[in-house]
Amino acid sequence: MPITIKQLVEEVGLPPIAIKVVKWNTPIDCKKGGVYIVSLSENAELNRTIEEVPISMTILEAWIQKLGYFTIDKEETRDAEVIKGRLAEFWIPNENILYIGKAPMRKSSGGIGNRVREYYKTAIGEAGPHAGGHWIKMLKNLNDLHVFYVECPNSGCIEADMLSKFGELVSDSVRERLFTKGPILPFANLEGEREKERKSMDWVI
């Protein structure tokens, strides 16, 4: 069944009253650790969705140019339509949650504000400072997305719980159409935190 941000937060034992939200690319003034969720919705209680993955072909073609080629099913390809087709097989049309991440405290700098800022500024395909979730950077509606966040001391455990709960709640009909052979995750999460399994061993970038 589709799940809202509020429901997911409640499922992992966090108070929904603690949820805060900003529009994508808006700085977050929070130096505490916690978790954050990138969503199609602007409201924690609504499940705003898009049926087909809104990939920007311009951005995708620039990424292909940068990498040289992609490997899909053990074959190299530079065909943007082929790559878009495979990406579309990971899109979950009745879910608003696109990425779940943790923001642990660090000695140098840390907290939710710093981690989300790293996410904003990391170019697609770059190794850091935030390499995770880069599929989001291909979406042509990127600037319409919202980032929800909740402060909590055990962000790693909460992130893992959220990813597991998300996979549990995906409907059987959606599960059957997804390409992934690994854990069921939000579109831009490529790896399960507990299983350390990638979505599919037949997809290499």
Side-chain angles (χ1 to χ4, degrees):
M1 58 175 284
I3 186 168
T4 65
I5 305 293
K6 180 176 181 286
Q7 289 169 332
L8 184 61
V9 167
E10 289 176 326
E11 287 281 354
V12 299
L14 294 177
I17 195 172
I19 300 171
K20 297 179 182 178
V21 61
V22 297
K23 198 166 184 181
W24 177 268
N25 219 25
T26 300
I28 294 175
D29 184 18
C30 177
K31 296 181 180 179
K32 296 183 178 180
V35 289
Y36 60 97
I37 302 168
V38 183
S39 172
L40 292 165
S41 180
E42 70 283 353
N43 187 316
E45 298 186 56
L46 298 180
N47 190 44
R48 182 176 182 272
T49 62
I50 296 177
E51 183 65 26
E52 296 184 4
V53 60
I55 288 176
S56 165
M57 296 304 287
T58 301
I59 297 173
L60 177 55
E61 287 166 0
W63 192 15
I64 297 168
Q65 200 66 21
K66 184 176 184 177
L67 292 177
Y69 61 87
F70 282 55
T71 302
I72 297 179
D73 300 333
K74 301 179 182 179
E75 293 187 7
E76 294 179 6
T77 181
R78 297 172 178 80
D79 189 326
E81 289 295 338
V82 170
I83 296 167
K84 178 185 176 182
R86 177 52 57 84
L87 286 165
E89 293 176 323
F90 292 101
W91 184 256
I92 305 179
N94 65 345
E95 297 289 351
N96 76 93
I97 295 170
L98 301 182
Y99 183 77
I100 297 170
K102 63 179 181 290
M105 296 300 299
R106 303 173 187 162
K107 291 182 180 179
S108 55
S109 61
I112 297 169
N114 182 66
R115 190 56 175 158
V116 173
R117 181 170 59 251
E118 291 177 341
Y119 199 1
Y120 291 157
K121 74 178 185 180
T122 303
I124 188 169
E126 293 296 324
H130 191 311
H134 57 271
W135 285 9
I136 274 181
K137 305 294 178 69
M138 284 184 293
L139 303 183
K140 56 188 175 185
N141 64 333
L142 179 63
N143 290 325
D144 294 327
L145 303 182
H146 286 75
V147 182
F148 294 81
Y149 62 99
V150 181
E151 297 172 11
C152 60
N154 50 343
S155 61
C157 292
I158 294 296
E159 179 203 36
D161 288 346
M162 283 185 166
L163 290 171
S164 294
K165 185 57 65 175
F166 180 89
E168 290 174 15
L169 294 173
V170 167
S171 67
D172 289 340
S173 60
V174 169
R175 192 182 302 275
E176 289 172 2
R177 68 173 289 278
L178 291 175
F179 180 80
T180 182
K181 297 175 184 177
I184 305 297
L185 302 168
F187 174 72
N189 284 95
L190 303 189
E191 186 176 84
E193 190 60 29
R194 285 205 174 97
E195 302 89 347
K196 289 300 179 185
E197 291 179 338
R198 291 181 68 81
K199 284 181 172 175
S200 171
M201 296 307 293
D202 294 327
W203 165 263
V204 181
I205 54 174

